[in-house]
Every structure is written in C-alpha cells, then in structure tokens.
Amino acid sequence: MGINFLLLFLTAMAAGLLVFFSPVFREKYFKLVLVFAGSYLFSVTILHILPELFSTGFSNTRMGLYILLGFLLQQVLEFWSSGVEHGHIHKHTSETSKGVFTLMLGLFIHAFLEGTLLSHGNVMGAETGEALAHTHSNKTVLLGIIMHKGPAAFALAAVLSASLSKKWTIILLTLFALASPLGMFSSAFFIENGLLSKEGIGILYGLVTGGFLHISTTIFFESSPHHKFQLNKLLVTFLAAGLALISEYLI
C-alpha cells in the first residue's frame, strides 16, 4: 500500500508541476491524453470494477442505485470544481477565495473517494472468502486512477497559477495529491477495524464507480463537441481500451 501511496502522490505532483515548466501548452496533445485516460478508465470500470461489485454478495438492485447516486454526486461535485477533474482549464474559477475553496472542496472529495476503491481487493476477498481481486486486477484499477489524476492535476495547477502565487499553487496541489492516498488509507483502516459495514462498503464503492462512469463518459462527449470524425482520437480510444483488455485478461 505504501507503493500505491507514492505512485498516487508523485503522479499528481509531477503532472501539476509541469505547468511551471511548460509555458507553451499544446491543447491538442492534452486532449489526446485526456481521451486516452478516459477510455482506459471507462474500460476498466466496465471490464473489472462493475463485474466484481455485482459478484460479491451485494444486493444487485441496491448496487445499481448506489452507482446511479455516484453518477449524480459527481455532477454536483463538478459544479464546485468546474470540471477540472476531467481536464477543464477555466482560469476564472480561481479569481476569488470562495472560488478556490469550492474548487478544492469538489476536487478533494472526488479524489478522496476514488482512493477508497484501492482497498477493495482485501474487502472483496474477506466478504466472499475468496481472493477475488488478483494482483493484476488491483494494478489495473490503480493504473486507471493514475492516468486520470495526471491530467486533473495539470488542469488544477493551470487554474490556480492563473491567479495565485507559485507557493500557494504548490501548497494546494500537494493537498490534492494527498487526497487519494488518504482515501485509500482511511477506507482500509475503517474496513480492517470493522468500523464500516458491508452495506457501507457497497455504498462507498458504488458511489466511486458511478463517479468513474460520469468522468470517463464526459471526457468522450467533450472531446468531440461537434460530433466530427477524428481518426487520432478514435485510435487513442481503441489503444487505451486494448491496454485495459490486456491488463485485465492477459497479464
């Protein structure tokens, strides 16, 4: 779990700090990175997370409800964050202290919740008596979150640096980078000490899964706002989906 902490933290910090070393920002390439990350996250959710959630003894009807609520919750969080978690760079968001607070609140809650999913392997095995989450599967989910966090951290740093000092941008970036690791450790602590019931676990993971579906599909829709055919985006989408398939079934 310590390695996961470092990977999550360092990915967000490195991606965010790139803002200070990349004064010439190529939007086209950033969008392709977003599309790749969105496609991989969506594929992992469909291929791995959803089947595992519905095969671990949770009520299928209720799990569907939790996923829907997670989808809707992410919509609410994006009203605060202005969509920074899926690559939106709106410089006006950070012009006031209130704007910075709501931005960071929305992003922190989102990142904290997604980190909780990384403790799901031990939980699923404990609930069913089987080792349902293999090492490769856990790495698949971790890779999906890392791919998502990189562009989000870059977008966050770009937004903050437009109106805040470099010092405060780095401080808030560090807070964001810590959110997912804190979510991972917190959920593991509550679960291992019996402070979170099976129903609570189901609600938590359903909410996160719904958030993943919202973010990944939003990236798809926004990457082609005029519904024009773009070969490079199509190829990147298939490449990411292929990588998810390989990591899930062949590695």
PDB file of all heavy atoms in Angstrom, residues 219-244:
ATOM      1  N   ILE A 219     -15.575  12.886 -20.677  1.00  0.00           N
ATOM      2  CA  ILE A 219     -14.381  13.104 -21.499  1.00  0.00           C
ATOM      3  C   ILE A 219     -14.661  12.733 -22.949  1.00  0.00           C
ATOM      4  O   ILE A 219     -14.281  13.456 -23.877  1.00  0.00           O
ATOM      5  CB  ILE A 219     -13.200  12.282 -20.951  1.00  0.00           C
ATOM      6  CG1 ILE A 219     -12.740  12.858 -19.608  1.00  0.00           C
ATOM      7  CG2 ILE A 219     -12.032  12.288 -21.943  1.00  0.00           C
ATOM      8  CD1 ILE A 219     -11.689  12.013 -18.906  1.00  0.00           C
ATOM      9  N   PHE A 220     -15.347  11.624 -23.160  1.00  0.00           N
ATOM     10  CA  PHE A 220     -15.680  11.211 -24.527  1.00  0.00           C
ATOM     11  C   PHE A 220     -16.540  12.256 -25.228  1.00  0.00           C
ATOM     12  O   PHE A 220     -16.272  12.661 -26.365  1.00  0.00           O
ATOM     13  CB  PHE A 220     -16.433   9.868 -24.514  1.00  0.00           C
ATOM     14  CG  PHE A 220     -15.566   8.687 -24.231  1.00  0.00           C
ATOM     15  CD1 PHE A 220     -16.047   7.622 -23.499  1.00  0.00           C
ATOM     16  CD2 PHE A 220     -14.260   8.631 -24.677  1.00  0.00           C
ATOM     17  CE1 PHE A 220     -15.262   6.529 -23.222  1.00  0.00           C
ATOM     18  CE2 PHE A 220     -13.450   7.543 -24.411  1.00  0.00           C
ATOM     19  CZ  PHE A 220     -13.954   6.479 -23.682  1.00  0.00           C
ATOM     20  N   PHE A 221     -17.597  12.682 -24.558  1.00  0.00           N
ATOM     21  CA  PHE A 221     -18.536  13.620 -25.172  1.00  0.00           C
ATOM     22  C   PHE A 221     -17.871  14.961 -25.467  1.00  0.00           C
ATOM     23  O   PHE A 221     -18.098  15.569 -26.515  1.00  0.00           O
ATOM     24  CB  PHE A 221     -19.754  13.824 -24.267  1.00  0.00           C
ATOM     25  CG  PHE A 221     -20.584  12.591 -24.083  1.00  0.00           C
ATOM     26  CD1 PHE A 221     -21.207  12.322 -22.867  1.00  0.00           C
ATOM     27  CD2 PHE A 221     -20.749  11.682 -25.113  1.00  0.00           C
ATOM     28  CE1 PHE A 221     -21.975  11.182 -22.689  1.00  0.00           C
ATOM     29  CE2 PHE A 221     -21.515  10.539 -24.950  1.00  0.00           C
ATOM     30  CZ  PHE A 221     -22.122  10.288 -23.734  1.00  0.00           C
ATOM     31  N   GLU A 222     -17.050  15.435 -24.537  1.00  0.00           N
ATOM     32  CA  GLU A 222     -16.451  16.757 -24.707  1.00  0.00           C
ATOM     33  C   GLU A 222     -15.271  16.756 -25.663  1.00  0.00           C
ATOM     34  O   GLU A 222     -14.865  17.818 -26.134  1.00  0.00           O
ATOM     35  CB  GLU A 222     -16.017  17.304 -23.345  1.00  0.00           C
ATOM     36  CG  GLU A 222     -17.191  17.611 -22.428  1.00  0.00           C
ATOM     37  CD  GLU A 222     -16.761  18.247 -21.122  1.00  0.00           C
ATOM     38  OE1 GLU A 222     -15.556  18.192 -20.816  1.00  0.00           O
ATOM     39  OE2 GLU A 222     -17.624  18.804 -20.414  1.00  0.00           O
ATOM     40  N   SER A 223     -14.714  15.594 -25.950  1.00  0.00           N
ATOM     41  CA  SER A 223     -13.579  15.546 -26.870  1.00  0.00           C
ATOM     42  C   SER A 223     -14.007  15.778 -28.312  1.00  0.00           C
ATOM     43  O   SER A 223     -13.192  16.154 -29.154  1.00  0.00           O
ATOM     44  CB  SER A 223     -12.864  14.194 -26.754  1.00  0.00           C
ATOM     45  OG  SER A 223     -13.704  13.138 -27.176  1.00  0.00           O
ATOM     46  N   SER A 224     -15.289  15.565 -28.598  1.00  0.00           N
ATOM     47  CA  SER A 224     -15.819  15.799 -29.945  1.00  0.00           C
ATOM     48  C   SER A 224     -17.142  16.543 -29.839  1.00  0.00           C
ATOM     49  O   SER A 224     -18.222  15.982 -30.078  1.00  0.00           O
ATOM     50  CB  SER A 224     -16.019  14.475 -30.689  1.00  0.00           C
ATOM     51  OG  SER A 224     -14.804  13.784 -30.831  1.00  0.00           O
ATOM     52  N   PRO A 225     -17.105  17.823 -29.458  1.00  0.00           N
ATOM     53  CA  PRO A 225     -18.338  18.586 -29.211  1.00  0.00           C
ATOM     54  C   PRO A 225     -19.225  18.734 -30.446  1.00  0.00           C
ATOM     55  O   PRO A 225     -20.434  18.900 -30.331  1.00  0.00           O
ATOM     56  CB  PRO A 225     -17.821  19.944 -28.734  1.00  0.00           C
ATOM     57  CG  PRO A 225     -16.440  20.039 -29.283  1.00  0.00           C
ATOM     58  CD  PRO A 225     -15.904  18.647 -29.262  1.00  0.00           C
ATOM     59  N   HIS A 226     -18.627  18.675 -31.643  1.00  0.00           N
ATOM     60  CA  HIS A 226     -19.406  18.834 -32.875  1.00  0.00           C
ATOM     61  C   HIS A 226     -19.630  17.499 -33.580  1.00  0.00           C
ATOM     62  O   HIS A 226     -20.091  17.473 -34.725  1.00  0.00           O
ATOM     63  CB  HIS A 226     -18.692  19.814 -33.810  1.00  0.00           C
ATOM     64  CG  HIS A 226     -18.417  21.150 -33.181  1.00  0.00           C
ATOM     65  ND1 HIS A 226     -19.428  22.009 -32.799  1.00  0.00           N
ATOM     66  CD2 HIS A 226     -17.245  21.762 -32.854  1.00  0.00           C
ATOM     67  CE1 HIS A 226     -18.898  23.104 -32.273  1.00  0.00           C
ATOM     68  NE2 HIS A 226     -17.585  22.976 -32.285  1.00  0.00           N
ATOM     69  N   HIS A 227     -19.281  16.425 -32.894  1.00  0.00           N
ATOM     70  CA  HIS A 227     -19.503  15.066 -33.413  1.00  0.00           C
ATOM     71  C   HIS A 227     -18.829  14.850 -34.765  1.00  0.00           C
ATOM     72  O   HIS A 227     -19.365  14.169 -35.638  1.00  0.00           O
ATOM     73  CB  HIS A 227     -21.003  14.771 -33.516  1.00  0.00           C
ATOM     74  CG  HIS A 227     -21.747  14.973 -32.231  1.00  0.00           C
ATOM     75  ND1 HIS A 227     -21.627  14.126 -31.152  1.00  0.00           N
ATOM     76  CD2 HIS A 227     -22.600  15.967 -31.840  1.00  0.00           C
ATOM     77  CE1 HIS A 227     -22.380  14.564 -30.155  1.00  0.00           C
ATOM     78  NE2 HIS A 227     -22.968  15.677 -30.539  1.00  0.00           N
ATOM     79  N   LYS A 228     -17.651  15.419 -34.911  1.00  0.00           N
ATOM     80  CA  LYS A 228     -16.890  15.227 -36.141  1.00  0.00           C
ATOM     81  C   LYS A 228     -15.948  14.042 -35.973  1.00  0.00           C
ATOM     82  O   LYS A 228     -15.383  13.827 -34.901  1.00  0.00           O
ATOM     83  CB  LYS A 228     -16.091  16.488 -36.479  1.00  0.00           C
ATOM     84  CG  LYS A 228     -16.955  17.681 -36.868  1.00  0.00           C
ATOM     85  CD  LYS A 228     -16.080  18.872 -37.233  1.00  0.00           C
ATOM     86  CE  LYS A 228     -16.930  20.069 -37.644  1.00  0.00           C
ATOM     87  NZ  LYS A 228     -16.099  21.244 -38.008  1.00  0.00           N
ATOM     88  N   PHE A 229     -15.766  13.311 -37.074  1.00  0.00           N
ATOM     89  CA  PHE A 229     -14.879  12.153 -37.026  1.00  0.00           C
ATOM     90  C   PHE A 229     -13.432  12.620 -36.925  1.00  0.00           C
ATOM     91  O   PHE A 229     -12.965  13.437 -37.720  1.00  0.00           O
ATOM     92  CB  PHE A 229     -15.051  11.298 -38.284  1.00  0.00           C
ATOM     93  CG  PHE A 229     -14.099  10.137 -38.354  1.00  0.00           C
ATOM     94  CD1 PHE A 229     -14.326   9.002 -37.587  1.00  0.00           C
ATOM     95  CD2 PHE A 229     -12.976  10.185 -39.174  1.00  0.00           C
ATOM     96  CE1 PHE A 229     -13.453   7.932 -37.649  1.00  0.00           C
ATOM     97  CE2 PHE A 229     -12.106   9.122 -39.239  1.00  0.00           C
ATOM     98  CZ  PHE A 229     -12.338   7.991 -38.470  1.00  0.00           C
ATOM     99  N   GLN A 230     -12.706  12.105 -35.936  1.00  0.00           N
ATOM    100  CA  GLN A 230     -11.303  12.432 -35.746  1.00  0.00           C
ATOM    101  C   GLN A 230     -10.536  11.132 -35.560  1.00  0.00           C
ATOM    102  O   GLN A 230     -10.663  10.464 -34.530  1.00  0.00           O
ATOM    103  CB  GLN A 230     -11.111  13.352 -34.541  1.00  0.00           C
ATOM    104  CG  GLN A 230     -11.724  14.741 -34.749  1.00  0.00           C
ATOM    105  CD  GLN A 230     -11.589  15.608 -33.516  1.00  0.00           C
ATOM    106  OE1 GLN A 230     -12.216  15.342 -32.490  1.00  0.00           O
ATOM    107  NE2 GLN A 230     -10.776  16.646 -33.605  1.00  0.00           N
ATOM    108  N   LEU A 231      -9.739  10.789 -36.551  1.00  0.00           N
ATOM    109  CA  LEU A 231      -9.058   9.498 -36.563  1.00  0.00           C
ATOM    110  C   LEU A 231      -8.103   9.353 -35.379  1.00  0.00           C
ATOM    111  O   LEU A 231      -8.044   8.281 -34.767  1.00  0.00           O
ATOM    112  CB  LEU A 231      -8.288   9.321 -37.869  1.00  0.00           C
ATOM    113  CG  LEU A 231      -7.525   7.992 -38.019  1.00  0.00           C
ATOM    114  CD1 LEU A 231      -8.473   6.815 -37.948  1.00  0.00           C
ATOM    115  CD2 LEU A 231      -6.735   7.985 -39.333  1.00  0.00           C
ATOM    116  N   ASN A 232      -7.378  10.415 -35.041  1.00  0.00           N
ATOM    117  CA  ASN A 232      -6.407  10.303 -33.949  1.00  0.00           C
ATOM    118  C   ASN A 232      -7.085   9.986 -32.621  1.00  0.00           C
ATOM    119  O   ASN A 232      -6.590   9.170 -31.838  1.00  0.00           O
ATOM    120  CB  ASN A 232      -5.548  11.569 -33.843  1.00  0.00           C
ATOM    121  CG  ASN A 232      -6.381  12.824 -33.664  1.00  0.00           C
ATOM    122  OD1 ASN A 232      -7.611  12.800 -33.738  1.00  0.00           O
ATOM    123  ND2 ASN A 232      -5.714  13.940 -33.441  1.00  0.00           N
ATOM    124  N   LYS A 233      -8.225  10.596 -32.341  1.00  0.00           N
ATOM    125  CA  LYS A 233      -8.947  10.321 -31.097  1.00  0.00           C
ATOM    126  C   LYS A 233      -9.520   8.909 -31.092  1.00  0.00           C
ATOM    127  O   LYS A 233      -9.555   8.243 -30.055  1.00  0.00           O
ATOM    128  CB  LYS A 233     -10.043  11.356 -30.886  1.00  0.00           C
ATOM    129  CG  LYS A 233      -9.507  12.747 -30.572  1.00  0.00           C
ATOM    130  CD  LYS A 233     -10.627  13.729 -30.309  1.00  0.00           C
ATOM    131  CE  LYS A 233     -10.058  15.111 -29.974  1.00  0.00           C
ATOM    132  NZ  LYS A 233     -11.105  16.106 -29.717  1.00  0.00           N
ATOM    133  N   LEU A 234      -9.979   8.468 -32.276  1.00  0.00           N
ATOM    134  CA  LEU A 234     -10.509   7.109 -32.365  1.00  0.00           C
ATOM    135  C   LEU A 234      -9.416   6.086 -32.096  1.00  0.00           C
ATOM    136  O   LEU A 234      -9.622   5.108 -31.357  1.00  0.00           O
ATOM    137  CB  LEU A 234     -11.118   6.880 -33.748  1.00  0.00           C
ATOM    138  CG  LEU A 234     -11.787   5.519 -33.981  1.00  0.00           C
ATOM    139  CD1 LEU A 234     -12.993   5.363 -33.070  1.00  0.00           C
ATOM    140  CD2 LEU A 234     -12.212   5.382 -35.444  1.00  0.00           C
ATOM    141  N   LEU A 235      -8.238   6.308 -32.670  1.00  0.00           N
ATOM    142  CA  LEU A 235      -7.125   5.380 -32.474  1.00  0.00           C
ATOM    143  C   LEU A 235      -6.669   5.364 -31.013  1.00  0.00           C
ATOM    144  O   LEU A 235      -6.371   4.304 -30.456  1.00  0.00           O
ATOM    145  CB  LEU A 235      -5.959   5.767 -33.387  1.00  0.00           C
ATOM    146  CG  LEU A 235      -6.196   5.579 -34.886  1.00  0.00           C
ATOM    147  CD1 LEU A 235      -4.995   6.098 -35.680  1.00  0.00           C
ATOM    148  CD2 LEU A 235      -6.461   4.106 -35.213  1.00  0.00           C
ATOM    149  N   VAL A 236      -6.609   6.547 -30.404  1.00  0.00           N
ATOM    150  CA  VAL A 236      -6.211   6.630 -28.995  1.00  0.00           C
ATOM    151  C   VAL A 236      -7.225   5.914 -28.107  1.00  0.00           C
ATOM    152  O   VAL A 236      -6.854   5.223 -27.152  1.00  0.00           O
ATOM    153  CB  VAL A 236      -6.070   8.106 -28.570  1.00  0.00           C
ATOM    154  CG1 VAL A 236      -6.000   8.230 -27.054  1.00  0.00           C
ATOM    155  CG2 VAL A 236      -4.827   8.724 -29.196  1.00  0.00           C
ATOM    156  N   THR A 237      -8.504   6.048 -28.432  1.00  0.00           N
ATOM    157  CA  THR A 237      -9.561   5.376 -27.667  1.00  0.00           C
ATOM    158  C   THR A 237      -9.413   3.863 -27.727  1.00  0.00           C
ATOM    159  O   THR A 237      -9.472   3.170 -26.699  1.00  0.00           O
ATOM    160  CB  THR A 237     -10.948   5.780 -28.203  1.00  0.00           C
ATOM    161  OG1 THR A 237     -11.126   7.190 -28.061  1.00  0.00           O
ATOM    162  CG2 THR A 237     -12.054   5.051 -27.456  1.00  0.00           C
ATOM    163  N   PHE A 238      -9.200   3.334 -28.929  1.00  0.00           N
ATOM    164  CA  PHE A 238      -9.036   1.887 -29.094  1.00  0.00           C
ATOM    165  C   PHE A 238      -7.742   1.396 -28.449  1.00  0.00           C
ATOM    166  O   PHE A 238      -7.698   0.282 -27.904  1.00  0.00           O
ATOM    167  CB  PHE A 238      -9.071   1.510 -30.575  1.00  0.00           C
ATOM    168  CG  PHE A 238     -10.457   1.429 -31.140  1.00  0.00           C
ATOM    169  CD1 PHE A 238     -10.916   2.386 -32.027  1.00  0.00           C
ATOM    170  CD2 PHE A 238     -11.319   0.401 -30.783  1.00  0.00           C
ATOM    171  CE1 PHE A 238     -12.199   2.320 -32.544  1.00  0.00           C
ATOM    172  CE2 PHE A 238     -12.603   0.317 -31.296  1.00  0.00           C
ATOM    173  CZ  PHE A 238     -13.050   1.291 -32.184  1.00  0.00           C
ATOM    174  N   LEU A 239      -6.703   2.210 -28.513  1.00  0.00           N
ATOM    175  CA  LEU A 239      -5.438   1.829 -27.892  1.00  0.00           C
ATOM    176  C   LEU A 239      -5.589   1.680 -26.386  1.00  0.00           C
ATOM    177  O   LEU A 239      -5.114   0.700 -25.794  1.00  0.00           O
ATOM    178  CB  LEU A 239      -4.365   2.879 -28.214  1.00  0.00           C
ATOM    179  CG  LEU A 239      -2.991   2.658 -27.579  1.00  0.00           C
ATOM    180  CD1 LEU A 239      -2.379   1.362 -28.086  1.00  0.00           C
ATOM    181  CD2 LEU A 239      -2.071   3.838 -27.888  1.00  0.00           C
ATOM    182  N   ALA A 240      -6.272   2.650 -25.761  1.00  0.00           N
ATOM    183  CA  ALA A 240      -6.477   2.597 -24.313  1.00  0.00           C
ATOM    184  C   ALA A 240      -7.369   1.414 -23.925  1.00  0.00           C
ATOM    185  O   ALA A 240      -7.107   0.720 -22.937  1.00  0.00           O
ATOM    186  CB  ALA A 240      -7.102   3.904 -23.825  1.00  0.00           C
ATOM    187  N   ALA A 241      -8.432   1.176 -24.710  1.00  0.00           N
ATOM    188  CA  ALA A 241      -9.317   0.038 -24.436  1.00  0.00           C
ATOM    189  C   ALA A 241      -8.560  -1.276 -24.593  1.00  0.00           C
ATOM    190  O   ALA A 241      -8.745  -2.215 -23.803  1.00  0.00           O
ATOM    191  CB  ALA A 241     -10.520   0.077 -25.370  1.00  0.00           C
ATOM    192  N   GLY A 242      -7.686  -1.337 -25.599  1.00  0.00           N
ATOM    193  CA  GLY A 242      -6.875  -2.543 -25.801  1.00  0.00           C
ATOM    194  C   GLY A 242      -5.927  -2.782 -24.647  1.00  0.00           C
ATOM    195  O   GLY A 242      -5.740  -3.924 -24.198  1.00  0.00           O
ATOM    196  N   LEU A 243      -5.338  -1.713 -24.130  1.00  0.00           N
ATOM    197  CA  LEU A 243      -4.449  -1.836 -22.975  1.00  0.00           C
ATOM    198  C   LEU A 243      -5.210  -2.347 -21.754  1.00  0.00           C
ATOM    199  O   LEU A 243      -4.695  -3.189 -21.000  1.00  0.00           O
ATOM    200  CB  LEU A 243      -3.814  -0.482 -22.662  1.00  0.00           C
ATOM    201  CG  LEU A 243      -2.908  -0.429 -21.424  1.00  0.00           C
ATOM    202  CD1 LEU A 243      -1.722  -1.363 -21.595  1.00  0.00           C
ATOM    203  CD2 LEU A 243      -2.425   1.005 -21.188  1.00  0.00           C
ATOM    204  N   ALA A 244      -6.429  -1.860 -21.564  1.00  0.00           N
ATOM    205  CA  ALA A 244      -7.249  -2.322 -20.447  1.00  0.00           C
ATOM    206  C   ALA A 244      -7.567  -3.813 -20.592  1.00  0.00           C
ATOM    207  O   ALA A 244      -7.534  -4.567 -19.611  1.00  0.00           O
ATOM    208  CB  ALA A 244      -8.531  -1.503 -20.362  1.00  0.00           C
TER     209      ALA A 244
END
